[in-house]
Amino acid sequence: MKAANRPGIPGMRGTDHIGFTVPDLEEAHSFLVDVLGCEEVYTLGAKQSDEDWMSTHLGVHPRTVIREIRFYRLGHGSNFEVFLYESADGQDGQPRNSDIGGHHIAFYVDDLDVAVGYLRERGVEVMGEPTASKQAAAGQHWVYFRSPWGMQFELVSFPDGKEYEKSAGLRLWHPAHPAE
């Protein structure tokens, strides 16, 4: 289906970036660069307003300050926009997957066992052992892990494809085959 014939936002191409807030930007930088393999691309300085700009545009307390924003690129996927906020009304803890707004970011790897070993060697908390998916996702194995600040990430691998692909007219985008 051509983009012009697709329902939804006109001209939509895909995800440009994933933004998230961290408690310590240097710790996050080390994790993103040294463990995940991101490359830092650029940085933006502080942002604050004496008016309601922060509330109107970002949905945060109007006196909240963004101390710094860093942008990272990781392989064949979305970019990361990483925020360090000084919240004027406090901050909640890291949401669980079951909380409204709960989330995780999944990375495709060619060899799950090698990737899990790599994380464990670096002292990263791997949450349990890899799990084999079932039903339409059969053929996929996955495992969650946590950043130093508690954010959940996932590793997935399905080098021989997933069950649904055998009869699917449309497949999910695959980072190992970005042009397909």
Side-chain angles (χ1 to χ4, degrees):
M1 182 183 295
K2 291 183 179 179
N5 298 331
R6 251 187 241 142
I9 297 173
M12 175 72 71
R13 295 294 186 127
T15 304
D16 177 73
H17 68 272
I18 298 165
F20 52 90
T21 300
V22 299
D24 181 325
L25 204 45
E26 296 310 320
E27 175 187 61
H29 176 87
S30 293
F31 180 76
L32 293 169
V33 172
D34 299 336
V35 176
L36 296 185
C38 290
E39 296 176 276
E40 183 179 356
V41 179
Y42 69 94
T43 299
L44 297 175
K47 174 73 175 163
Q48 64 187 62
S49 175
D50 291 333
E51 298 176 12
D52 289 336
W53 192 95
M54 297 296 278
S55 177
T56 300
H57 294 277
L58 301 176
V60 299
H61 188 282
R63 299 295 82 80
T64 293
V65 176
I66 298 173
R67 289 287 166 213
E68 188 175 335
I69 307 170
R70 293 186 189 173
F71 290 83
Y72 295 87
R73 179 180 176 153
L74 178 60
H76 295 295
S78 292
N79 304 300
F80 295 142
E81 180 180 22
V82 183
F83 292 86
L84 179 62
Y85 273 98
E86 185 179 296
S87 181
D89 58 352
Q91 291 179 316
D92 292 332
Q94 186 71 26
R96 301 168 300 167
N97 275 342
S98 58
D99 293 332
I100 303 298
H103 60 275
H104 69 277
I105 299 172
F107 304 116
Y108 184 86
V109 295
D110 293 325
D111 188 317
L112 189 61
D113 292 332
V114 169
V116 168
Y118 169 88
L119 291 175
R120 287 188 171 135
E121 286 171 8
R122 281 151 185 79
V124 174
E125 178 191 355
V126 176
M127 301 169 65
E129 297 299 322
T131 298
S133 295
K134 297 178 181 175
Q135 300 174 2
Q140 172 182 277
H141 289 78
W142 59 271
V143 68
Y144 276 39
F145 64 100
R146 291 186 206 267
S147 70
W149 60 94
M151 185 172 166
Q152 291 182 350
F153 293 89
E154 178 184 8
L155 297 177
V156 298
S157 189
F158 42 96
D160 297 320
K162 295 182 194 179
E163 184 64 29
Y164 89 91
E165 295 174 333
K166 293 177 182 174
S167 60
L170 177 65
R171 293 181 177 195
L172 295 171
W173 181 81
H174 193 308
H177 311 288
E180 292 178 15

